[in-house]
Amino acid sequence: MRRLDEAALSSLPASVARPLYDRRAVRTGIVHLGLGAFHKAHQAVYYEAALNSGDLRWGVLGASLRSRAVRDQLAPQGNLYTVTAREGADARTQLIGALRGVLVAPEDPTALVSAMAAADTHLVTLTVTEKGYKLDPATGALIRDDPDLAADLASLAAPRTAPGLIVAALAQRRAARLKPFTTVSCDNLPHNGKRLRDAVFALAAHHDRALRDWIETHGAFPETMVDRIVPATEEADIDALDGRIGVADRAMVKTEPFSQWVIQDRFVGERPDFAALGVQITDSVAPWEDAKLRMLNGAHSGIAYLGGLAGIEFVHEFVAIPAGRAFVEALWNESAETLSPPPGLDLPAYRTALMGRFANSALNHRTRQIAMDGSQKLPQRLLAPILVRLERGQPVDTLALAVAAWMRWQEARDDAGDTYVVDDPLAARTAGSANLSASDAVAGLLAIDAIFPPALAEHPGFRTALTSALGALRAKGARGTLEERFA
Ligand code: CS2
């Protein structure tokens, strides 16, 4: 089996799109924190387009904040990897050359900080997942007793968190009389730019008030909306790609044809010509962000828990079941009414396109993958629209069913009795309520104020809807409940 690397380039079939530029001439203009499948299939593809257009400032130094696996996959390949967009029988593969190197932050945090502080670095982008911001999901306040954040509050000599790395690097830039870089959160958080800025300000102020003020005056933390479905790569994907292109790419990513990136028009210094790369630059990102979080991600989370409990492995299988599809439509009916769609977003067309994306059977997007970290995802995806509807006195039955399915998921046993690990930073807390009666379980989980704001926790109608939905899920299973409510 031949491994992908520079030498293998000449043997690739002509159908594989490849770098149109000289990789040796590329400079590193971007440091990316949280190098994972999503970055590789989303932002990196836009940077690759910038390089292909001849603007060689936008090579990427990727950093993994924890594991060395990504570096170990990429290093033998000269940091080359492929992105394959699949739909039906169609698979289009592009070789990405934008990645210039990979650092593993815990191995050498100071090298990473120096790279971020380099004069050529104009953008620091992040995909560190919701929990990587060290913020309370309900309120957005810093979780000061998080062990890694506590270490960064004590000293920034060897930062451990994303906000810590950013503050340390900005301090070096200030000392070197350089401008800050633009810091771009690309995670599915509400107001991701503001949340990241708040975390950075709080940490900077703790160490050096003047540094905080300098960042406020000179820095930029644009809001963004990012969208591309990127299922985790499996061995079978690597084998299938090998069969098609004749090389083994252990760093490959698979995705869908669709991709969208909306960035608030707020930058310091140089940036790629984003508009020319198909990125939407706008003053108002929030309406895009809300629509995406509540429609795509909200439905995803509902599918993840109901599907996971019912033993449905993949998203496309869930929406192939009429009651599953009807559940998604009903959830969208509730969520859509809470949105103010931005100019250019036609909600009915958006819904049709989204259902088509969910139905993409070439992706094999696992419900279990989406079920991860529910405590961090629920507030912006499901609880935000519920709050709006309850304030208006509107029913929330379908959204509440999705939340109840998350509650039932905390029991770590699906409808067939098979056990699994609840992969969530708050799993130890949610487990305490899992085996109580439905009303006690609901009360116990609603009391977790890191997830549920008081207005929801104390709402009697919401509590009743959850208790009845949780009771139904336990008695009839997720599949039975879906069939009963949506068939
Ligand atoms: C998914 C997202 O795993 C999840 O939580 O909902 O990763 C989703 O696929 C992306 O946000 C799509 O842009």
Side-chain angles (χ1 to χ4, degrees):
M1 204 188 249
R2 173 146 198 206
R3 185 83 180 258
L4 173 65
D5 59 14
E6 290 270 359
L9 269 172
S10 53
S11 69
L12 288 177
S15 60
V16 176
R18 62 200 78 198
L20 303 174
Y21 52 90
D22 175 5
R23 283 186 88 208
R24 286 158 306 185
V26 172
R27 307 212 304 267
T28 302
I30 297 161
V31 175
H32 182 79
L33 304 181
L35 182 65
F38 185 70
H39 171 77
K40 283 157 70 185
H42 187 270
Q43 303 99 66
V45 175
Y46 292 90
Y47 303 146
E48 182 74 6
L51 298 173
N52 278 335
S53 78
D55 183 353
L56 298 188
R57 293 170 296 170
W58 305 111
V60 183
L61 177 72
S64 164
L65 295 199
R66 284 193 308 270
S67 98
R68 50 182 68 197
V70 186
R71 192 258 326 266
D72 294 348
Q73 282 161 358
L74 282 158
Q77 302 187 175
N79 297 313
L80 286 169
Y81 69 93
T82 59
V83 176
T84 300
R86 294 185 188 164
E87 191 169 34
D90 207 35
R92 284 167 203 265
T93 299
Q94 178 182 11
L95 184 70
I96 302 290
L99 196 62
R100 316 243 325 127
V102 184
L103 295 178
V104 180
E107 288 179 0
D108 193 352
T110 40
L112 176 54
V113 170
S114 305
M116 294 162 76
D120 268 357
T121 300
H122 302 293
L123 291 180
V124 168
T125 54
L126 291 87
T127 51
V128 295
T129 79
E130 295 87 344
K131 62 180 180 251
Y133 291 79
K134 308 294 176 192
L135 298 170
D136 183 293
T139 63
L142 265 190
I143 308 172
R144 289 177 181 264
D145 57 5
D146 173 275
D148 290 334
L149 190 69
D152 285 357
L153 284 162
S155 161
L156 284 175
R160 294 196 200 171
T161 66
L165 290 159
I166 293 165
V167 174
L170 289 173
Q172 277 195 20
R173 295 183 80 97
R174 177 166 170 252
R177 303 192 172 280
L178 290 171
K179 278 191 210 159
F181 40 72
T182 301
T183 316
V184 190
S185 166
C186 301
D187 282 294
N188 289 314
L189 287 172
H191 309 295
N192 53 11
K194 179 178 182 318
R195 288 215 173 187
L196 176 58
R197 188 189 63 185
D198 288 350
V200 166
F201 282 5
L203 188 59
H206 174 85
H207 287 286
D208 176 353
R209 183 83 215 171
L211 172 64
R212 181 220 169 275
D213 294 344
W214 179 81
I215 301 171
E216 179 170 30
T217 309
H218 302 286
F221 297 80
E223 309 284 348
T224 69
M225 186 275 259
V226 288
D227 190 7
R228 196 168 206 190
I229 294 173
V230 187
T233 303
E234 300 183 1
E235 281 301 321
D237 299 315
I238 297 172
D239 292 345
L241 182 70
D242 191 353
R244 280 184 41 240
I245 70 170
V247 294
D249 175 7
R250 302 216 60 84
M252 67 160 280
V253 283
K254 61 171 174 178
T255 186
E256 58 178 343
F258 181 90
S259 181
Q260 189 178 14
W261 196 2
V262 184
I263 311 181
Q264 187 183 19
D265 194 359
R266 190 182 283 177
F267 296 91
V268 219
E270 297 174 37
R271 77 211 74 157
D273 185 356
F274 277 122
L277 306 175
V279 177
Q280 291 163 254
I281 301 290
T282 167
D283 279 333
S284 164
V285 175
W288 288 103
E289 190 181 271
D290 286 345
K292 194 260 174 172
L293 288 170
R294 294 179 193 180
M295 303 295 280
L296 188 158
N297 296 114
H300 253 175
S301 289
I303 292 169
Y305 301 115
L306 289 163
L309 291 167
I312 300 169
E313 265 183 287
F314 301 117
V315 173
H316 70 268
E317 292 174 341
F318 187 98
V319 297
I321 300 166
R325 181 174 283 245
F327 158 80
V328 171
E329 292 287 357
L331 186 127
W332 285 344
N333 289 342
E334 290 184 9
S335 289
E337 286 179 356
T338 71
L339 298 172
S340 329
L345 180 66
D346 170 7
L347 264 185
Y350 183 68
R351 286 172 64 151
T352 307
L354 259 187
M355 194 60 94
R357 293 170 64 195
F358 288 175
N360 184 345
S361 61
L363 285 182
N364 284 347
H365 194 193
R366 289 191 184 274
T367 52
R368 287 261 169 111
Q369 180 184 343
I370 305 168
M372 238 176 95
D373 290 346
S375 68
Q376 315 290 304
K377 296 175 175 173
L378 243 49
Q380 53 276 18
R381 298 179 177 204
L382 299 171
L383 306 184
I386 289 174
L387 261 175
V388 173
R389 293 184 66 87
L390 291 178
E391 275 164 18
R392 296 179 186 160
Q394 295 173 324
V396 295
D397 303 275
T398 310
L399 287 161
L401 175 63
V403 177
W406 169 81
M407 292 181 155
R408 164 91 180 88
W409 182 258
Q410 307 310 306
E411 293 169 30
R413 187 180 293 273
D414 69 14
D415 292 339
D418 291 334
T419 57
Y420 50 84
V421 173
V422 177
D423 190 344
D424 191 303
L426 295 184
R429 289 187 67 189
T430 60
S433 301
N435 293 307
L436 307 175
S437 71
S439 61
D440 288 345
V442 167
L445 292 165
L446 282 177
I448 303 179
D449 60 7
I451 307 174
F452 294 96
L456 278 189
E458 288 154 15
H459 195 286
F462 183 48
R463 181 170 300 213
T464 309
L466 287 175
T467 309
S468 114
L470 181 58
L473 289 170
R474 283 179 175 178
K476 298 167 199 149
R479 186 74 188 247
T481 307
L482 285 171
E483 298 292 349
E484 188 179 273
R485 294 198 182 191
F486 300 100

